[in-house]
Amino acid sequence: MLAFIVRRLMQAVAVMITVAFIAFMLFQYVGDPVVFLLGQDATPEQIHALRSALGLDRSFVVQFWHFLVHAAQGEFGLSLRQGAKVSRLLAERLPATLELTLVSALLALAFGIPMGVYAALRRGSFSSQLLMTLSLLGVSLPTFLIGILLILVFAVTLGWFPSFGRGEVVQIGWWSTGLLSAKGWHHIALPAITLAIFQLTLIMRLVRAEMLEVLRTDYIKFARARGLSSRVIHFGHALKNTLVPVMTITGLQLGGLIAFAIITETVFQWPGMGLLFIQSVTFADIPVMAAYLCLIALFFVLINLMVDLLYFAVDPRLRVDRAGGH
Amino acid sequence: MQLKYRRLCSLFAVALLCAPALHAKPFKWSSQGDVATWDIHAQNNALQNGIHGTVYESLVSYNSKTFAIEPLLATSWKEINPTQMRFALRQGVRFHDGSALTADDVVFSLQRAMAKTSNFTPYTQGISRVAKVDERTVDVFLTTPNPVLLRQMTELRIMSRAWAEKNKSTEPEDMKSGEEIFAHRNAMGTGPYTLESWQPDVKMVFKRYPGWWGTMDGNVTEIVYLPIKSAPTRMAALLSGEVDMVLDPAPQDLDRLRASPDLKVIDGLEYRTIFLGLDQLRDELPGSNIKGKNPLKDLRVRKALYQAIDAEAITRTIMRGLGKPAATIVAPMVAGHTEAVGKRLPYSVEAAKKLLAEAGYPDGFEVDFACPNNRYINDEAVCQAVTAMWSRVGVKARLRTLPLATYFPMIQRYEASIYMLGWGVPTFDALYSLQSLVRTVGTGGDGNYNLGRYSNQRMDYLVDRIKGETDAPVRSRMLTEALQLSNDTVSHIPLHDQVIPWAMKKNVDLIHRADNKLDMRTVKVN
């Protein structure tokens, strides 16, 4: 078990170095921030001086090596735009992103699972057909469009919700939370729904398909034959087994949520890491971009690891001694 | 007491009931970016300089309507000799901590702008040193006579020396050190508003400073700046009433905004001219089908390209009113511009074809054409239109568009045969443009954006003379002559001066400025 975890962590490091390398490769082409820092009045001498001071004139290999050495010490260098430590900038933005993604994930689960179960049990009825049709919309509409539509309807036309921002936040140590005030919840509603819709429909369709699958198995038939009430069968036996693959997908999707938050955060001016990343792209703030991508990679790796461990806990068949992964 | 009262108000969210009693006029505005730092000498960008101006003041400033230099923290100035300027400081000016403004603060701040880590050296160009004469007088010494000194000084703001020393912020923030200094997040100026709080990318709050020395037309007691990156969201915030004003509405939304009963759009000329630059140095253009010579070196070809462009049509259909056809490299409000200089060559496909044939290119030629796609209003669309217009006279421009972060380094490496550039003039004096755009590439700021490497002896002579000419009428004549020379030799192909729209609620009154800065002293909320 321990060996398994250690092995997975080793893989994680390899993944992150690869991500950092690819990120750096890409960033050779995003331009440079010098023109933003100095303005149009800068002389060529000033531009050269600043470029060399920032190490932008060094070769790709040298820049990458520096990045790795610093990263190994937990230091991702400096934001060129804000002159602050990247690690600090990301730490400031992390709470907003995590709160948004968690609220979205909970929304997706709280609505997705019951809707999926309903659609499976009432298969063929008009209401479940309607749900399935709507879910196609949810899967196919791009996030930014959903966001803009929600803003148009609920913020501009009806005026029920604010169209941007996070509202009032409360500092608890280094963590800032918007979930302790009504205003904060008011602000998180639209972005969380925007981010959740895709996941919600995905979970719903998945639960429905799995549930139908499980309901066809022998042990369900056997349970019916024993005369158990359909409630016990549906929610005791069937749902439990349905949720194993749902757990995997949800886990993997959580990483996706964090990554896809970029678009939602940009649409709603949600001050999380995604917004920071987008602004860094405009500004060619390479250290921030690289660190962000590494962090996202780390999230994916950790979430995968947790899903694997949960599998160990949930599915006794997996506890034969072999390397993890799926 | 009042504070308590206000807190009660917000607590019960009965702002409507409380507002008349307090006469509090909050004003919320938005644009796409946020400032990177509150250090006044760390980074030089227009939005940031404008926002800093709400809290920090300079010795002199531009009048928001006429752009004439007017006194701010200095009440008067006089030339002791051509390289020494004496400023008398305003009395009774207090910083936001209540301390009085002294000559020491001014000397300290100007020296801070000249420091090694400062990025404000373009504005301190030519200043050799600053010295205190007495408590209310400061001398600025110059390396050579500098007729635009006052214009440069509009961007040199004054910070409290004692405050900077106490908070270890005497040197401008070094963006490369990673150590955030106190002045990054805090401010201590003499301006009409104090900086109350700043959460990057979220909001910035300013309060009216009761101890401010001046008087203003504006009535805003609290300013909230809310950066919103996404243009549709910014519009939504204005439509839903969450913000009172948007500095940079998206061009495609303007018709809708104008049609709204609660909103209005105010627009005016910007101090920025959009033009095309042409490679006039290389003997052969990379990627062109013409070998062994560079067609762009031929004045007839440059004229042909110019006359093939229907600037009227571009401003009408693509800019949809957000541009006015330009005839030279500076906008009309810039010193040196005259009516004569502002006359475009006529649009004529026939003339263009004839000129090309005379130059030996009856079938036109192929040429590289580079444009930014996120820097100027509708930049990419304008370039596509120009490409189409040129194809009518046989010139096949191969258009490539890039985002500004890659575009600028690329054109600065002289890698574009024809490129689009927009040039704003923060000094409102044509020297700023002439020196950067048409002076032969040299040291200092000479030709720093002359990316087609245009070179003309007479032009260099004029620009170098203008730099030090303190006789105003003579200098003004030379500015105009230089602009005319640039027009005659088609150093660039001028397209249009940008018109910038500001969108706001009907009850907001303010003065639109050509430098796209919001002067909070002019903002009235009715």
Side-chain angles (χ1 to χ4, degrees), chain A residues 29-32 37-43 45-46 53 78 81 83 88 92-93 148 151 162-163 266-267 269 278-279, chain B residues 36 43-44 119 121-122 176 178 180 185 201-202 227-230 232-233 236 240 242 405-406 424 432 444 448-449:
Chain A
Y29 305 100
V30 295
D32 79 41
L37 293 168
L38 295 173
Q40 66 174 25
D41 326 77
T43 62
E45 300 89 68
Q46 285 173 310
L78 297 176
R81 179 169 78 111
R88 212 199 76 189
E92 276 176 8
R93 305 300 190 104
I148 290 294
I151 289 176
S163 56
T266 309
V267 171
Q269 190 70 19
I278 288 288
Q279 278 163 333
Chain B
Q43 280 188 28
N44 174 22
N119 279 331
T121 41
K176 305 177 284 288
E180 192 179 282
R185 275 177 201 262
D201 288 335
V202 180
I228 304 176
K229 185 165 173 56
S230 149
T233 312
S240 69
E242 288 164 275
T406 38
Y432 182 90
N448 64 339
Y449 273 81

